[in-house]
Amino acid sequence: MEVRKDLWVIHMDMDAFFASVEQRDNPRLRGKPVIVGGSPNSRGVVSTCSYEARKFGVHSAMPSREALRLCPQAIFVPHHFEKYTAVSRQVREIMRRYTDIIEPLSLDEAYMDVTGQDAVAIGRELKASVQRETQLTGSVGVSYCKFMAKLASDMDKPNGFTVVDWDRAQAMLPDMPVRKLWGVGPASEQALKKLGIQTCGDLLRHDPEVLRRHYGRRADELLLLASGIDFRGIEANHEMKSVGEETTFPHDQTDRAYLSGLLEQMAGRLTQDLQRYNMACRTVTVKIKWNVFIEGGPKGGDFLQNTRSYTVPMPTADAAEIGRVAREIFSRVDWEGRKIRLLGLQLHNFVQRGDLVQARLPL
Amino acid sequence: MRFTIEQRLLHDAVRSAARAVGVRQAVPVLSGVCLHAAGQELRLRATDLEVEISLAVPADVAEEGAVVLPARYLQELVRRLPPGPLAIRVTPTNATARIEVDGSEYVIHGFDAGQFPAPGAEGAVASAVAIEPKHLATVLRETGFATGHDESRPWFTGVFLSLRGNQVIALATDGSILAYSEAPVHNPADSAFSVILPGRSLQETGRLLPEAQGCRIGAGHSQFQFDLGHVSLTSRLLEGQYPDFRKYIPTEFPTQVCVGRERFLAACERAALAAHQSSIRLDAGAEGLKLTARTPEVGEVTERLPARVGGPEFSVPLNVHYVLSGLRSLEGPDLVLEFAGPRTAVRFRSSQEAKSFFAVLPLLSF
């Protein structure tokens, strides 16, 4: 496949979206460390915080209690999702003046395909229009592929505008940490580090056969991304079906209390995603890979895997409830003397806020 | 094995028994009907190991014996044969039946009767009680529609049937629609049972009931039997503790709406056409009952029905398909809708006096 090098992707990410909306609508919050999310008296987590709060080390997905400790003068504000949804729609309408091919990633983030137009000019105009019409700022990245456009919007936050063309990408990539690659989480980062790989340059210099042995098909995807190649198109009407998170442990685990705690933390982060997408889930799935290797299959074998699900009577986006359900599912798992190699949590069966849902008896 | 039987009798009997044959049958012999000729009758049995149907019809038996013949082929063939007596001869060595009619000959390859499962609980069901077939039919109709499909909770796929004193009650739910029905029984020995029966067993029983002259029902250890005189149906029981959902249904309904059942049903059917994600809204007030539905790309329906409304007005969104399935299970000219609050079930009955009801949990705005 030929690599497209023209600039056609715009990624826009609103700056500290929920917190900025709150500050815009309440002058008393302006210039102050504002934290949108759960109250520090509960088990809530930070959804978004203003840049003033970030200076204290507060970041999203952090337990609110921890955030309060870091920044005692923080002002905690509960979510107003209807408001965020309305603003998000307003921003999307502005985007639609330039193209119909829009892929929203969440309320505050979207890709646009502006093939055949002047992407840089549109990017600037979009940013200015959003600021003029919503009194909010966003950071815009313009590039020749999705991966680079998203990186670009993040390079000069807040209120940034960054263009990364093919040549600039090629100059940046050799020293870029592999952690920035799409799909590389803390576990993969550690695993790559063990192979002596820290940057995309290291990755490209490594023997691809060794990488393939470790990562299978994934290795080639990583190599492409590290060379600045991403063939993904913009998926308009992209519908999110599930959110999930999983961790592969450096050492196999047996500590049930620790693992339940981990599920609860995952629930906290995933509900952030749900709330950001303005959704709630009905089904919670716990995924476990055991330290038991099963030979065979197309990949030559894999570790024994179990998934266990539970469907709640009413959709929920509540971290505490999802955490409780996840713990409950996990407590019923039959260990049979095995150890856990991977633990994951998935939320699916989504309902959009505002949808009608069928009530069910708690039977 | 040799016997002669009327074509119409054989056809009706095979058709009744074949209801128990499973659609996708993994065990070949279970795709058949077991025929057993003895004395002056032919006994037919079919089962899918969940439901067994057994019946006997008069036949002129020249030589006793048994064989299993493929249900579908036998039924379709006999249906097309001319009326009158059919002479059937079975060669036991290769389980093959020959039917001779007016010089024509039809051969059906079957299975050895020894391969067929032994009869179910016939006789093993203790202390059966008598119930009017029409009462039983009503109970089954009023609850059978409400069962669910969640195989992980088997009791949802069945109907709870309980006998206490001179009354049998039935409960069914899929978690969102709830149905209750009751009927008088003749129970001089004061028997009692509480069982969960697979929805399918009840459906098949419902189909056999119109021809029943009488009916006795009884529970065994792991089976339940409907003895309809000429035919009996034996069903496996579902395991589990049936949750008594009646505690979730309000006992007081401040608002009661009386409306014509047929008219309401027709209005729901029209509203269903424009119901986005099956949702319709019911509004009851001084002007009567209003039904609305809309789908942005399709259209809108507003139905206004004359109704007698007692109590505070209300507005509630419901899944129209739940309402329709319930309405079709009721009979009679009237319908009483009862409302107790926006988050509780809406109850439907055929009159103020009716004990039977179905109740639908509302749609909630998330």
Side-chain angles (χ1 to χ4, degrees), chain B residues 33-50:
Chain B
V33 177
C34 182
L35 307 181
H36 185 212
Q40 283 311 301
E41 65 174 30
L42 177 71
R43 178 156 288 278
L44 295 89
R45 269 197 313 125
T47 179
D48 65 351
L49 302 181
E50 179 170 87

PDB file of all heavy atoms in Angstrom, chain B residues 33-50:
ATOM      1  N   VAL B  33     -41.680 -41.507  15.892  1.00  0.00           N
ATOM      2  CA  VAL B  33     -42.800 -41.766  16.790  1.00  0.00           C
ATOM      3  C   VAL B  33     -42.781 -43.268  17.065  1.00  0.00           C
ATOM      4  O   VAL B  33     -42.665 -44.074  16.142  1.00  0.00           O
ATOM      5  CB  VAL B  33     -44.140 -41.408  16.118  1.00  0.00           C
ATOM      6  CG1 VAL B  33     -45.304 -41.759  17.033  1.00  0.00           C
ATOM      7  CG2 VAL B  33     -44.179 -39.934  15.778  1.00  0.00           C
ATOM      8  N   CYS B  34     -42.865 -43.625  18.320  1.00  0.00           N
ATOM      9  CA  CYS B  34     -42.874 -45.044  18.674  1.00  0.00           C
ATOM     10  C   CYS B  34     -44.320 -45.560  18.616  1.00  0.00           C
ATOM     11  O   CYS B  34     -45.217 -45.008  19.252  1.00  0.00           O
ATOM     12  CB  CYS B  34     -42.297 -45.229  20.075  1.00  0.00           C
ATOM     13  SG  CYS B  34     -42.221 -46.951  20.553  1.00  0.00           S
ATOM     14  N   LEU B  35     -44.550 -46.584  17.792  1.00  0.00           N
ATOM     15  CA  LEU B  35     -45.891 -47.158  17.661  1.00  0.00           C
ATOM     16  C   LEU B  35     -45.895 -48.498  18.365  1.00  0.00           C
ATOM     17  O   LEU B  35     -45.013 -49.326  18.136  1.00  0.00           O
ATOM     18  CB  LEU B  35     -46.229 -47.379  16.181  1.00  0.00           C
ATOM     19  CG  LEU B  35     -46.083 -46.185  15.234  1.00  0.00           C
ATOM     20  CD1 LEU B  35     -46.474 -46.602  13.826  1.00  0.00           C
ATOM     21  CD2 LEU B  35     -46.950 -45.027  15.695  1.00  0.00           C
ATOM     22  N   HIS B  36     -46.910 -48.712  19.196  1.00  0.00           N
ATOM     23  CA  HIS B  36     -46.985 -49.964  19.934  1.00  0.00           C
ATOM     24  C   HIS B  36     -48.407 -50.508  19.794  1.00  0.00           C
ATOM     25  O   HIS B  36     -49.365 -49.895  20.283  1.00  0.00           O
ATOM     26  CB  HIS B  36     -46.629 -49.726  21.399  1.00  0.00           C
ATOM     27  CG  HIS B  36     -46.573 -50.986  22.194  1.00  0.00           C
ATOM     28  ND1 HIS B  36     -46.907 -51.034  23.517  1.00  0.00           N
ATOM     29  CD2 HIS B  36     -46.222 -52.241  21.857  1.00  0.00           C
ATOM     30  CE1 HIS B  36     -46.793 -52.286  23.957  1.00  0.00           C
ATOM     31  NE2 HIS B  36     -46.356 -53.029  22.958  1.00  0.00           N
ATOM     32  N   ALA B  37     -48.521 -51.617  19.083  1.00  0.00           N
ATOM     33  CA  ALA B  37     -49.843 -52.217  18.860  1.00  0.00           C
ATOM     34  C   ALA B  37     -50.046 -53.330  19.861  1.00  0.00           C
ATOM     35  O   ALA B  37     -49.226 -54.252  19.944  1.00  0.00           O
ATOM     36  CB  ALA B  37     -49.951 -52.741  17.435  1.00  0.00           C
ATOM     37  N   ALA B  38     -51.120 -53.237  20.649  1.00  0.00           N
ATOM     38  CA  ALA B  38     -51.413 -54.283  21.636  1.00  0.00           C
ATOM     39  C   ALA B  38     -52.891 -54.213  21.977  1.00  0.00           C
ATOM     40  O   ALA B  38     -53.482 -53.138  21.970  1.00  0.00           O
ATOM     41  CB  ALA B  38     -50.566 -54.090  22.895  1.00  0.00           C
ATOM     42  N   GLY B  39     -53.478 -55.360  22.273  1.00  0.00           N
ATOM     43  CA  GLY B  39     -54.900 -55.400  22.588  1.00  0.00           C
ATOM     44  C   GLY B  39     -55.686 -54.872  21.397  1.00  0.00           C
ATOM     45  O   GLY B  39     -55.473 -55.300  20.271  1.00  0.00           O
ATOM     46  N   GLN B  40     -56.552 -53.903  21.652  1.00  0.00           N
ATOM     47  CA  GLN B  40     -57.324 -53.331  20.556  1.00  0.00           C
ATOM     48  C   GLN B  40     -56.964 -51.863  20.323  1.00  0.00           C
ATOM     49  O   GLN B  40     -57.786 -51.040  19.945  1.00  0.00           O
ATOM     50  CB  GLN B  40     -58.836 -53.488  20.839  1.00  0.00           C
ATOM     51  CG  GLN B  40     -59.340 -54.882  20.598  1.00  0.00           C
ATOM     52  CD  GLN B  40     -58.905 -55.454  19.231  1.00  0.00           C
ATOM     53  OE1 GLN B  40     -59.211 -54.887  18.192  1.00  0.00           O
ATOM     54  NE2 GLN B  40     -58.170 -56.569  19.241  1.00  0.00           N
ATOM     55  N   GLU B  41     -55.693 -51.540  20.611  1.00  0.00           N
ATOM     56  CA  GLU B  41     -55.306 -50.138  20.404  1.00  0.00           C
ATOM     57  C   GLU B  41     -53.871 -50.006  19.923  1.00  0.00           C
ATOM     58  O   GLU B  41     -53.043 -50.912  20.082  1.00  0.00           O
ATOM     59  CB  GLU B  41     -55.523 -49.317  21.680  1.00  0.00           C
ATOM     60  CG  GLU B  41     -54.640 -49.743  22.828  1.00  0.00           C
ATOM     61  CD  GLU B  41     -54.762 -48.830  24.047  1.00  0.00           C
ATOM     62  OE1 GLU B  41     -55.842 -48.254  24.267  1.00  0.00           O
ATOM     63  OE2 GLU B  41     -53.768 -48.704  24.781  1.00  0.00           O
ATOM     64  N   LEU B  42     -53.643 -48.839  19.329  1.00  0.00           N
ATOM     65  CA  LEU B  42     -52.289 -48.475  18.926  1.00  0.00           C
ATOM     66  C   LEU B  42     -51.861 -47.308  19.808  1.00  0.00           C
ATOM     67  O   LEU B  42     -52.545 -46.283  19.884  1.00  0.00           O
ATOM     68  CB  LEU B  42     -52.287 -48.026  17.453  1.00  0.00           C
ATOM     69  CG  LEU B  42     -50.929 -47.558  16.922  1.00  0.00           C
ATOM     70  CD1 LEU B  42     -49.964 -48.727  16.763  1.00  0.00           C
ATOM     71  CD2 LEU B  42     -51.081 -46.814  15.599  1.00  0.00           C
ATOM     72  N   ARG B  43     -50.735 -47.513  20.520  1.00  0.00           N
ATOM     73  CA  ARG B  43     -50.246 -46.427  21.383  1.00  0.00           C
ATOM     74  C   ARG B  43     -49.097 -45.729  20.666  1.00  0.00           C
ATOM     75  O   ARG B  43     -48.205 -46.376  20.116  1.00  0.00           O
ATOM     76  CB  ARG B  43     -49.794 -46.979  22.731  1.00  0.00           C
ATOM     77  CG  ARG B  43     -49.234 -45.932  23.676  1.00  0.00           C
ATOM     78  CD  ARG B  43     -49.321 -46.343  25.141  1.00  0.00           C
ATOM     79  NE  ARG B  43     -50.687 -46.310  25.638  1.00  0.00           N
ATOM     80  CZ  ARG B  43     -51.320 -45.205  26.055  1.00  0.00           C
ATOM     81  NH1 ARG B  43     -50.708 -44.028  26.010  1.00  0.00           N
ATOM     82  NH2 ARG B  43     -52.554 -45.251  26.497  1.00  0.00           N
ATOM     83  N   LEU B  44     -49.140 -44.383  20.642  1.00  0.00           N
ATOM     84  CA  LEU B  44     -48.084 -43.611  19.994  1.00  0.00           C
ATOM     85  C   LEU B  44     -47.366 -42.772  21.050  1.00  0.00           C
ATOM     86  O   LEU B  44     -48.019 -42.188  21.919  1.00  0.00           O
ATOM     87  CB  LEU B  44     -48.662 -42.658  18.939  1.00  0.00           C
ATOM     88  CG  LEU B  44     -49.346 -43.285  17.733  1.00  0.00           C
ATOM     89  CD1 LEU B  44     -50.814 -43.507  18.015  1.00  0.00           C
ATOM     90  CD2 LEU B  44     -49.157 -42.406  16.506  1.00  0.00           C
ATOM     91  N   ARG B  45     -46.043 -42.717  20.915  1.00  0.00           N
ATOM     92  CA  ARG B  45     -45.250 -41.933  21.872  1.00  0.00           C
ATOM     93  C   ARG B  45     -44.153 -41.202  21.133  1.00  0.00           C
ATOM     94  O   ARG B  45     -43.525 -41.759  20.232  1.00  0.00           O
ATOM     95  CB  ARG B  45     -44.578 -42.862  22.893  1.00  0.00           C
ATOM     96  CG  ARG B  45     -45.401 -43.101  24.130  1.00  0.00           C
ATOM     97  CD  ARG B  45     -44.563 -43.671  25.263  1.00  0.00           C
ATOM     98  NE  ARG B  45     -43.702 -44.760  24.886  1.00  0.00           N
ATOM     99  CZ  ARG B  45     -42.390 -44.755  25.104  1.00  0.00           C
ATOM    100  NH1 ARG B  45     -41.817 -43.718  25.679  1.00  0.00           N
ATOM    101  NH2 ARG B  45     -41.646 -45.781  24.742  1.00  0.00           N
ATOM    102  N   ALA B  46     -43.909 -39.957  21.510  1.00  0.00           N
ATOM    103  CA  ALA B  46     -42.772 -39.223  20.962  1.00  0.00           C
ATOM    104  C   ALA B  46     -42.199 -38.359  22.068  1.00  0.00           C
ATOM    105  O   ALA B  46     -42.919 -37.939  22.981  1.00  0.00           O
ATOM    106  CB  ALA B  46     -43.199 -38.347  19.790  1.00  0.00           C
ATOM    107  N   THR B  47     -40.905 -38.115  22.009  1.00  0.00           N
ATOM    108  CA  THR B  47     -40.264 -37.324  23.064  1.00  0.00           C
ATOM    109  C   THR B  47     -39.003 -36.654  22.539  1.00  0.00           C
ATOM    110  O   THR B  47     -38.370 -37.153  21.617  1.00  0.00           O
ATOM    111  CB  THR B  47     -39.898 -38.208  24.278  1.00  0.00           C
ATOM    112  OG1 THR B  47     -39.265 -37.388  25.258  1.00  0.00           O
ATOM    113  CG2 THR B  47     -38.957 -39.335  23.898  1.00  0.00           C
ATOM    114  N   ASP B  48     -38.675 -35.527  23.136  1.00  0.00           N
ATOM    115  CA  ASP B  48     -37.361 -34.916  22.882  1.00  0.00           C
ATOM    116  C   ASP B  48     -36.580 -34.911  24.197  1.00  0.00           C
ATOM    117  O   ASP B  48     -35.645 -34.144  24.379  1.00  0.00           O
ATOM    118  CB  ASP B  48     -37.507 -33.501  22.317  1.00  0.00           C
ATOM    119  CG  ASP B  48     -38.149 -32.548  23.316  1.00  0.00           C
ATOM    120  OD1 ASP B  48     -38.633 -33.020  24.367  1.00  0.00           O
ATOM    121  OD2 ASP B  48     -38.179 -31.338  23.055  1.00  0.00           O
ATOM    122  N   LEU B  49     -36.998 -35.753  25.113  1.00  0.00           N
ATOM    123  CA  LEU B  49     -36.415 -35.923  26.444  1.00  0.00           C
ATOM    124  C   LEU B  49     -36.779 -34.765  27.389  1.00  0.00           C
ATOM    125  O   LEU B  49     -36.448 -34.800  28.555  1.00  0.00           O
ATOM    126  CB  LEU B  49     -34.886 -36.095  26.394  1.00  0.00           C
ATOM    127  CG  LEU B  49     -34.412 -37.284  25.549  1.00  0.00           C
ATOM    128  CD1 LEU B  49     -32.889 -37.374  25.581  1.00  0.00           C
ATOM    129  CD2 LEU B  49     -35.031 -38.605  26.022  1.00  0.00           C
ATOM    130  N   GLU B  50     -37.464 -33.735  26.859  1.00  0.00           N
ATOM    131  CA  GLU B  50     -37.967 -32.681  27.727  1.00  0.00           C
ATOM    132  C   GLU B  50     -39.480 -32.866  27.869  1.00  0.00           C
ATOM    133  O   GLU B  50     -40.027 -32.819  28.955  1.00  0.00           O
ATOM    134  CB  GLU B  50     -37.668 -31.302  27.142  1.00  0.00           C
ATOM    135  CG  GLU B  50     -38.186 -30.169  28.001  1.00  0.00           C
ATOM    136  CD  GLU B  50     -37.687 -28.804  27.554  1.00  0.00           C
ATOM    137  OE1 GLU B  50     -38.333 -28.180  26.681  1.00  0.00           O
ATOM    138  OE2 GLU B  50     -36.641 -28.372  28.073  1.00  0.00           O
TER     139      GLU B  50
END
